[in-house]
Amino acid sequence: MTDEVVTESVDASTWDELQTVFGTKGDPSSCWCQWFKLSRSDWDAATREDTKALLHEQVQEGSPGVIARIDGEPVGWAAVEPFSAYPALGRSPITRRREGDPEDVWAVTCFVVRIEYRKRGVARALLAGALQHARERGATIVEGYPVDPEVRPSLSAAERYHGTVSLFRDGGFEEVRRPSATRAIMRRTLN
């Protein structure tokens, strides 16, 4: 039997639940999904409190992603916004735009699943929720930048925050290029 995972777009009312998902230890509790939003110098200067405050502000102003719950318990998060909301994506040799790339894409950049809820379908539900979130806000194309543990099985859980190639493939995404052996650019057109 599998747990039913329910997702919804975040807003000001879900902030306390997001704090539960991000926790107080590990990478999520220091990043708060700001890695792709800040310049390198701003990132280097930011404290945990700074990045947390930035996500809090972003949630108050709009909905930068989706939250997942099992039996009402907050268990995961996925960040999804227009590519332009993530300045670091445009600077990265992995994700920057190439000739022929669509300009108006939305990007799923990050997954956080609480350790005790992993391997229960949460990431799959989050990706489906992220697609619905983007569709409801007018997105026509969504991209992901996953890692490929089939190429490098030693990828740690922390290195899989982008999602995996198989997760995106199962979510209806097609690989459009491989900037490196372990990273793919995957894209899905929304109907």
Side-chain angles (χ1 to χ4, degrees):
M1 177 176 155
T2 59
D3 297 306
E4 182 182 4
V5 184
V6 177
T7 63
E8 76 170 275
S9 298
V10 298
D11 62 23
S13 71
T14 58
W15 177 246
D16 288 344
E17 291 177 291
L18 276 181
Q19 292 182 84
T20 298
V21 170
F22 279 83
T24 59
K25 301 185 286 192
D27 292 338
S29 71
S30 55
C31 181
W32 292 88
C33 274
Q34 301 306 303
W35 174 253
F36 295 111
K37 293 188 170 233
L38 298 175
S39 69
R40 184 59 191 257
S41 60
D42 287 344
W43 172 259
D44 289 344
T47 65
R48 286 176 186 254
E49 293 76 25
D50 294 335
T51 54
K52 180 179 179 178
L54 286 167
L55 182 60
H56 186 231
E57 181 181 315
Q58 292 152 12
V59 168
Q60 298 299 315
E61 292 174 354
S63 187
V66 294
I67 191 167
R69 295 182 195 89
I70 295 176
D71 294 330
E73 180 69 19
V75 298
W77 148 267
V80 57
E81 291 185 274
F83 187 93
S84 60
Y86 303 109
L89 290 180
R91 294 188 301 268
S92 168
I94 299 278
T95 54
R96 70 175 165 235
R97 308 317 289 158
R98 305 269 195 273
E99 187 175 329
D101 282 346
E103 292 297 323
D104 60 347
V105 302
W106 278 55
V108 180
T109 58
C110 179
F111 293 86
V112 177
V113 177
R114 291 171 56 193
I115 291 172
E116 61 270 33
Y117 291 96
R118 293 185 182 158
K119 301 197 182 298
R120 291 168 75 172
V122 175
R124 290 185 192 287
L126 283 166
L127 182 57
L131 291 171
Q132 183 64 28
H133 173 91
R135 182 182 291 114
E136 289 171 355
R137 287 156 179 77
T140 57
I141 301 171
V142 178
E143 282 185 349
Y145 315 104
V147 296
D148 193 345
E150 292 176 17
V151 172
R152 194 173 116 213
S154 63
L155 284 166
S156 70
E159 293 173 297
R160 296 174 191 226
Y161 74 93
H162 302 285
T164 63
V165 167
S166 62
L167 171 71
F168 279 86
R169 187 182 313 116
D170 292 350
F173 286 71
E174 294 182 7
E175 187 174 317
V176 294
R177 70 177 162 270
R178 277 280 172 144
S180 75
T182 59
R183 293 291 299 281
I185 306 299
M186 300 186 76
R187 194 175 291 148
R188 178 173 167 178
T189 300
L190 300 178
N191 304 347

